[in-house]
Amino acid sequence: MGEFLKRLCPSMCVDSVSVVDVKELQRLGIRAVLIDLDNTLVPWKGIVLSPEVKDWVKDVRAKGLKLGIVSNTQNMKRLHSIASELDIPYVRRGLKPRRVGFRTALELLGEDASHAAVLGDQIFTDVWGGNRLGAFTILVSPLHPREFFGTKISRFFEHMILNGLRARGMLGVDPGHSPAKAEQTTASDSQKESEQ
Ligand SMILES: [Mg+2]
C-alpha cells in the first residue's frame, strides 16, 4: 500500500497556480514547468485566464523558467488559443498519465525530467504521470467544482488517496526530490541529481 501511495504522492500541494513559489522551484533545481490546462490554468472548458494566472506566468518567465502546457483535452482550438495568449508551447493530446506527452514537451523545451515540475489538478493524470516521469509534482486544488463526469468519479478515489497520504504524513514538500522516483532512470540522471 505504501509503495502504491508513493506513486500517487505529489511532491507539493498548493491552493492555486498563482501561489507556486518560483524561487522555491529554482532552489529545487527546476528549470521547466509542465502545466495542465483544465481546472489548473482555466476552469474546465474555460477560455478566460485570470489576471493572477497571467501574472504568475509572467513571473515564471521573468525568473528564467521554461513553461509548456500538456493537456488531455480534445479541444485543440481552445488549447491553441490559451497557449497563444500566454505564449507557451503546448502538446496536443497529452495522453496523461502516459509519459509521452511530457517527454514531447521536454524535448520542445530542451530540458530533462530531473529538472522539470509537473503542475496539475488531478492525481491520476498529472501527479501519477509526473511521478512516472521522475519529475517534481505539484498538485493544485481545482479552479472550479464543475468538471467532466469521469473526473467527478476519479475525485472520489483521489480523496481516498489524499486521506491515505495525509494519514501517513506523506504530504508536504519533498526536499529529497530525486529522479530515482521515475520508473526508468538512467545512471547519468542519478549522477546529475547526486551532484546537486
Ligand atoms: Mg486538469
Side-chain angles (χ1 to χ4, degrees):
M1 186 65 177
E3 194 52 42
F4 168 74
L5 284 175
K6 214 169 152 186
R7 286 167 190 256
L8 298 172
C9 183
S11 315
M12 179 190 281
C13 296
V14 293
D15 289 335
S16 69
V17 167
S18 57
V19 300
V20 174
D21 185 339
V22 183
K23 282 192 174 163
E24 169 75 357
L25 295 186
Q26 287 178 310
R27 196 184 61 74
L28 291 163
I30 288 157
R31 303 198 291 236
V33 185
L34 308 180
I35 317 175
D36 169 54
L37 180 69
D38 282 307
N39 253 338
T40 297
L41 284 175
V42 289
W44 180 56
K45 290 190 172 180
I47 52 164
V48 180
L49 288 153
S50 69
E52 290 81 13
V53 166
K54 287 186 195 174
D55 287 347
W56 182 81
V57 167
K58 269 187 214 160
D59 184 42
V60 172
R61 195 171 282 132
K63 290 191 168 84
L65 265 76
K66 297 171 185 172
L67 289 163
I69 299 176
V70 181
S71 171
N72 281 356
T73 184
Q74 302 289 318
N75 189 333
M76 295 307 146
K77 201 175 158 192
R78 191 169 61 91
L79 174 58
H80 179 79
S81 159
I82 292 165
S84 301
E85 187 177 346
L86 293 172
D87 194 21
I88 299 178
Y90 63 93
V91 172
R92 295 164 186 266
R93 295 186 182 87
L95 300 175
K96 298 176 285 187
R98 290 180 61 192
R99 287 166 286 188
V100 59
F102 293 129
R103 285 175 171 162
T104 304
L106 287 175
E107 267 173 41
L108 281 173
L109 300 175
E111 291 294 346
D112 57 53
S114 63
H115 296 108
V118 169
L119 170 56
D121 69 299
Q122 288 196 56
I123 284 184
F124 296 110
T125 53
D126 307 302
V127 173
W128 188 25
N131 283 345
R132 295 183 72 205
L133 186 74
F136 186 81
T137 49
I138 306 169
L139 180 68
V140 61
S141 302
L143 271 176
H144 196 276
R146 183 172 166 260
E147 45 195 3
F148 173 60
F149 178 69
T151 309
K152 282 184 186 292
I153 295 172
S154 73
R155 292 289 182 208
F156 171 78
F157 296 101
E158 277 191 1
H159 283 300
M160 288 173 60
I161 298 292
L162 286 170
N163 286 339
L165 290 168
R166 221 171 269 124
R168 287 166 174 78
M170 290 166 77
L171 284 182
V173 179
D174 174 12
H177 165 60
S178 160
K181 286 196 295 185
E183 286 181 7
Q184 291 174 349
T185 307
T186 63
S188 62
D189 279 343
S190 301
Q191 181 65 31
K192 271 185 239 162
E193 188 70 14
S194 65
E195 285 168 0
Q196 286 172 10

mmCIF file with all atom_site columns, all heavy atoms in Angstrom, residues 70-72 92-101:
data_model
loop_
_atom_site.group_PDB
_atom_site.id
_atom_site.type_symbol
_atom_site.label_atom_id
_atom_site.label_alt_id
_atom_site.label_comp_id
_atom_site.label_asym_id
_atom_site.label_entity_id
_atom_site.label_seq_id
_atom_site.pdbx_PDB_ins_code
_atom_site.Cartn_x
_atom_site.Cartn_y
_atom_site.Cartn_z
_atom_site.occupancy
_atom_site.B_iso_or_equiv
_atom_site.pdbx_formal_charge
_atom_site.auth_seq_id
_atom_site.auth_comp_id
_atom_site.auth_asym_id
_atom_site.auth_atom_id
_atom_site.pdbx_PDB_model_num
ATOM 1   N N   . VAL A 1 70  ? 0.727  20.702 -21.107 1.00 0.00 ? 70  VAL A N   1
ATOM 2   C CA  . VAL A 1 70  ? 0.458  19.320 -21.514 1.00 0.00 ? 70  VAL A CA  1
ATOM 3   C C   . VAL A 1 70  ? -0.969 19.011 -21.064 1.00 0.00 ? 70  VAL A C   1
ATOM 4   O O   . VAL A 1 70  ? -1.244 18.933 -19.866 1.00 0.00 ? 70  VAL A O   1
ATOM 5   C CB  . VAL A 1 70  ? 1.448  18.319 -20.886 1.00 0.00 ? 70  VAL A CB  1
ATOM 6   C CG1 . VAL A 1 70  ? 1.150  16.900 -21.356 1.00 0.00 ? 70  VAL A CG1 1
ATOM 7   C CG2 . VAL A 1 70  ? 2.890  18.693 -21.238 1.00 0.00 ? 70  VAL A CG2 1
ATOM 8   N N   . SER A 1 71  ? -1.869 18.870 -22.037 1.00 0.00 ? 71  SER A N   1
ATOM 9   C CA  . SER A 1 71  ? -3.285 18.690 -21.706 1.00 0.00 ? 71  SER A CA  1
ATOM 10  C C   . SER A 1 71  ? -3.853 17.460 -22.403 1.00 0.00 ? 71  SER A C   1
ATOM 11  O O   . SER A 1 71  ? -3.425 17.096 -23.491 1.00 0.00 ? 71  SER A O   1
ATOM 12  C CB  . SER A 1 71  ? -4.062 19.933 -22.155 1.00 0.00 ? 71  SER A CB  1
ATOM 13  O OG  . SER A 1 71  ? -5.444 19.718 -22.032 1.00 0.00 ? 71  SER A OG  1
ATOM 14  N N   . ASN A 1 72  ? -4.843 16.865 -21.746 1.00 0.00 ? 72  ASN A N   1
ATOM 15  C CA  . ASN A 1 72  ? -5.552 15.731 -22.363 1.00 0.00 ? 72  ASN A CA  1
ATOM 16  C C   . ASN A 1 72  ? -6.797 16.196 -23.120 1.00 0.00 ? 72  ASN A C   1
ATOM 17  O O   . ASN A 1 72  ? -7.566 15.375 -23.595 1.00 0.00 ? 72  ASN A O   1
ATOM 18  C CB  . ASN A 1 72  ? -5.996 14.735 -21.277 1.00 0.00 ? 72  ASN A CB  1
ATOM 19  C CG  . ASN A 1 72  ? -4.857 13.840 -20.814 1.00 0.00 ? 72  ASN A CG  1
ATOM 20  O OD1 . ASN A 1 72  ? -3.748 13.910 -21.346 1.00 0.00 ? 72  ASN A OD1 1
ATOM 21  N ND2 . ASN A 1 72  ? -5.127 12.998 -19.824 1.00 0.00 ? 72  ASN A ND2 1
ATOM 22  N N   . ARG A 1 92  ? -0.324 18.599 -27.955 1.00 0.00 ? 92  ARG A N   1
ATOM 23  C CA  . ARG A 1 92  ? -1.679 18.122 -28.233 1.00 0.00 ? 92  ARG A CA  1
ATOM 24  C C   . ARG A 1 92  ? -1.837 16.702 -27.704 1.00 0.00 ? 92  ARG A C   1
ATOM 25  O O   . ARG A 1 92  ? -0.903 15.925 -27.770 1.00 0.00 ? 92  ARG A O   1
ATOM 26  C CB  . ARG A 1 92  ? -1.903 18.052 -29.744 1.00 0.00 ? 92  ARG A CB  1
ATOM 27  C CG  . ARG A 1 92  ? -1.863 19.359 -30.442 1.00 0.00 ? 92  ARG A CG  1
ATOM 28  C CD  . ARG A 1 92  ? -1.692 19.118 -31.933 1.00 0.00 ? 92  ARG A CD  1
ATOM 29  N NE  . ARG A 1 92  ? -1.509 20.373 -32.630 1.00 0.00 ? 92  ARG A NE  1
ATOM 30  C CZ  . ARG A 1 92  ? -2.500 21.058 -33.196 1.00 0.00 ? 92  ARG A CZ  1
ATOM 31  N NH1 . ARG A 1 92  ? -3.724 20.615 -33.151 1.00 0.00 ? 92  ARG A NH1 1
ATOM 32  N NH2 . ARG A 1 92  ? -2.253 22.182 -33.804 1.00 0.00 ? 92  ARG A NH2 1
ATOM 33  N N   . ARG A 1 93  ? -2.979 16.364 -27.247 1.00 0.00 ? 93  ARG A N   1
ATOM 34  C CA  . ARG A 1 93  ? -3.282 15.017 -26.749 1.00 0.00 ? 93  ARG A CA  1
ATOM 35  C C   . ARG A 1 93  ? -2.148 14.488 -25.843 1.00 0.00 ? 93  ARG A C   1
ATOM 36  O O   . ARG A 1 93  ? -1.398 13.613 -26.228 1.00 0.00 ? 93  ARG A O   1
ATOM 37  C CB  . ARG A 1 93  ? -3.516 14.057 -27.921 1.00 0.00 ? 93  ARG A CB  1
ATOM 38  C CG  . ARG A 1 93  ? -4.746 14.447 -28.722 1.00 0.00 ? 93  ARG A CG  1
ATOM 39  C CD  . ARG A 1 93  ? -5.084 13.439 -29.799 1.00 0.00 ? 93  ARG A CD  1
ATOM 40  N NE  . ARG A 1 93  ? -6.231 13.899 -30.563 1.00 0.00 ? 93  ARG A NE  1
ATOM 41  C CZ  . ARG A 1 93  ? -6.143 14.702 -31.628 1.00 0.00 ? 93  ARG A CZ  1
ATOM 42  N NH1 . ARG A 1 93  ? -4.972 15.108 -32.044 1.00 0.00 ? 93  ARG A NH1 1
ATOM 43  N NH2 . ARG A 1 93  ? -7.219 15.088 -32.257 1.00 0.00 ? 93  ARG A NH2 1
ATOM 44  N N   . GLY A 1 94  ? -2.083 15.057 -24.679 1.00 0.00 ? 94  GLY A N   1
ATOM 45  C CA  . GLY A 1 94  ? -1.014 14.713 -23.738 1.00 0.00 ? 94  GLY A CA  1
ATOM 46  C C   . GLY A 1 94  ? -1.005 13.257 -23.314 1.00 0.00 ? 94  GLY A C   1
ATOM 47  O O   . GLY A 1 94  ? 0.027  12.713 -22.936 1.00 0.00 ? 94  GLY A O   1
ATOM 48  N N   . LEU A 1 95  ? -2.158 12.596 -23.363 1.00 0.00 ? 95  LEU A N   1
ATOM 49  C CA  . LEU A 1 95  ? -2.297 11.180 -23.008 1.00 0.00 ? 95  LEU A CA  1
ATOM 50  C C   . LEU A 1 95  ? -1.818 10.877 -21.590 1.00 0.00 ? 95  LEU A C   1
ATOM 51  O O   . LEU A 1 95  ? -1.324 9.792  -21.311 1.00 0.00 ? 95  LEU A O   1
ATOM 52  C CB  . LEU A 1 95  ? -1.546 10.278 -24.008 1.00 0.00 ? 95  LEU A CB  1
ATOM 53  C CG  . LEU A 1 95  ? -1.988 10.375 -25.467 1.00 0.00 ? 95  LEU A CG  1
ATOM 54  C CD1 . LEU A 1 95  ? -1.074 9.514  -26.354 1.00 0.00 ? 95  LEU A CD1 1
ATOM 55  C CD2 . LEU A 1 95  ? -3.440 9.909  -25.627 1.00 0.00 ? 95  LEU A CD2 1
ATOM 56  N N   . LYS A 1 96  ? -1.933 11.852 -20.698 1.00 0.00 ? 96  LYS A N   1
ATOM 57  C CA  . LYS A 1 96  ? -1.560 11.613 -19.300 1.00 0.00 ? 96  LYS A CA  1
ATOM 58  C C   . LYS A 1 96  ? -2.449 10.528 -18.706 1.00 0.00 ? 96  LYS A C   1
ATOM 59  O O   . LYS A 1 96  ? -3.635 10.503 -19.015 1.00 0.00 ? 96  LYS A O   1
ATOM 60  C CB  . LYS A 1 96  ? -1.720 12.917 -18.492 1.00 0.00 ? 96  LYS A CB  1
ATOM 61  C CG  . LYS A 1 96  ? -0.817 14.036 -18.961 1.00 0.00 ? 96  LYS A CG  1
ATOM 62  C CD  . LYS A 1 96  ? -1.069 15.331 -18.202 1.00 0.00 ? 96  LYS A CD  1
ATOM 63  C CE  . LYS A 1 96  ? -2.328 16.021 -18.610 1.00 0.00 ? 96  LYS A CE  1
ATOM 64  N NZ  . LYS A 1 96  ? -2.503 17.354 -18.010 1.00 0.00 ? 96  LYS A NZ  1
ATOM 65  N N   . PRO A 1 97  ? -2.017 9.607  -17.888 1.00 0.00 ? 97  PRO A N   1
ATOM 66  C CA  . PRO A 1 97  ? -0.725 9.605  -17.197 1.00 0.00 ? 97  PRO A CA  1
ATOM 67  C C   . PRO A 1 97  ? 0.437  8.986  -17.996 1.00 0.00 ? 97  PRO A C   1
ATOM 68  O O   . PRO A 1 97  ? 1.491  8.724  -17.395 1.00 0.00 ? 97  PRO A O   1
ATOM 69  C CB  . PRO A 1 97  ? -1.021 8.756  -15.957 1.00 0.00 ? 97  PRO A CB  1
ATOM 70  C CG  . PRO A 1 97  ? -2.010 7.754  -16.443 1.00 0.00 ? 97  PRO A CG  1
ATOM 71  C CD  . PRO A 1 97  ? -2.865 8.486  -17.446 1.00 0.00 ? 97  PRO A CD  1
ATOM 72  N N   . ARG A 1 98  ? 0.275  8.765  -19.272 1.00 0.00 ? 98  ARG A N   1
ATOM 73  C CA  . ARG A 1 98  ? 1.439  8.270  -20.020 1.00 0.00 ? 98  ARG A CA  1
ATOM 74  C C   . ARG A 1 98  ? 2.501  9.371  -20.059 1.00 0.00 ? 98  ARG A C   1
ATOM 75  O O   . ARG A 1 98  ? 2.191  10.555 -19.921 1.00 0.00 ? 98  ARG A O   1
ATOM 76  C CB  . ARG A 1 98  ? 1.021  7.854  -21.433 1.00 0.00 ? 98  ARG A CB  1
ATOM 77  C CG  . ARG A 1 98  ? 0.155  6.591  -21.441 1.00 0.00 ? 98  ARG A CG  1
ATOM 78  C CD  . ARG A 1 98  ? -0.222 6.212  -22.835 1.00 0.00 ? 98  ARG A CD  1
ATOM 79  N NE  . ARG A 1 98  ? 0.948  5.915  -23.651 1.00 0.00 ? 98  ARG A NE  1
ATOM 80  C CZ  . ARG A 1 98  ? 0.919  5.772  -24.981 1.00 0.00 ? 98  ARG A CZ  1
ATOM 81  N NH1 . ARG A 1 98  ? -0.213 5.906  -25.625 1.00 0.00 ? 98  ARG A NH1 1
ATOM 82  N NH2 . ARG A 1 98  ? 2.003  5.496  -25.640 1.00 0.00 ? 98  ARG A NH2 1
ATOM 83  N N   . ARG A 1 99  ? 3.735  8.960  -20.280 1.00 0.00 ? 99  ARG A N   1
ATOM 84  C CA  . ARG A 1 99  ? 4.826  9.938  -20.219 1.00 0.00 ? 99  ARG A CA  1
ATOM 85  C C   . ARG A 1 99  ? 5.099  10.616 -21.548 1.00 0.00 ? 99  ARG A C   1
ATOM 86  O O   . ARG A 1 99  ? 5.819  11.609 -21.608 1.00 0.00 ? 99  ARG A O   1
ATOM 87  C CB  . ARG A 1 99  ? 6.110  9.247  -19.721 1.00 0.00 ? 99  ARG A CB  1
ATOM 88  C CG  . ARG A 1 99  ? 6.058  8.921  -18.247 1.00 0.00 ? 99  ARG A CG  1
ATOM 89  C CD  . ARG A 1 99  ? 7.138  7.962  -17.850 1.00 0.00 ? 99  ARG A CD  1
ATOM 90  N NE  . ARG A 1 99  ? 6.834  6.612  -18.320 1.00 0.00 ? 99  ARG A NE  1
ATOM 91  C CZ  . ARG A 1 99  ? 7.516  5.539  -18.003 1.00 0.00 ? 99  ARG A CZ  1
ATOM 92  N NH1 . ARG A 1 99  ? 8.573  5.643  -17.236 1.00 0.00 ? 99  ARG A NH1 1
ATOM 93  N NH2 . ARG A 1 99  ? 7.168  4.352  -18.468 1.00 0.00 ? 99  ARG A NH2 1
ATOM 94  N N   . VAL A 1 100 ? 4.498  10.069 -22.621 1.00 0.00 ? 100 VAL A N   1
ATOM 95  C CA  . VAL A 1 100 ? 4.842  10.544 -23.958 1.00 0.00 ? 100 VAL A CA  1
ATOM 96  C C   . VAL A 1 100 ? 4.607  12.048 -24.149 1.00 0.00 ? 100 VAL A C   1
ATOM 97  O O   . VAL A 1 100 ? 5.454  12.753 -24.735 1.00 0.00 ? 100 VAL A O   1
ATOM 98  C CB  . VAL A 1 100 ? 4.100  9.692  -25.031 1.00 0.00 ? 100 VAL A CB  1
ATOM 99  C CG1 . VAL A 1 100 ? 2.592  9.755  -24.854 1.00 0.00 ? 100 VAL A CG1 1
ATOM 100 C CG2 . VAL A 1 100 ? 4.474  10.117 -26.433 1.00 0.00 ? 100 VAL A CG2 1
ATOM 101 N N   . GLY A 1 101 ? 3.505  12.567 -23.643 1.00 0.00 ? 101 GLY A N   1
ATOM 102 C CA  . GLY A 1 101 ? 3.206  13.996 -23.804 1.00 0.00 ? 101 GLY A CA  1
ATOM 103 C C   . GLY A 1 101 ? 4.198  14.866 -23.046 1.00 0.00 ? 101 GLY A C   1
ATOM 104 O O   . GLY A 1 101 ? 4.664  15.887 -23.552 1.00 0.00 ? 101 GLY A O   1
#
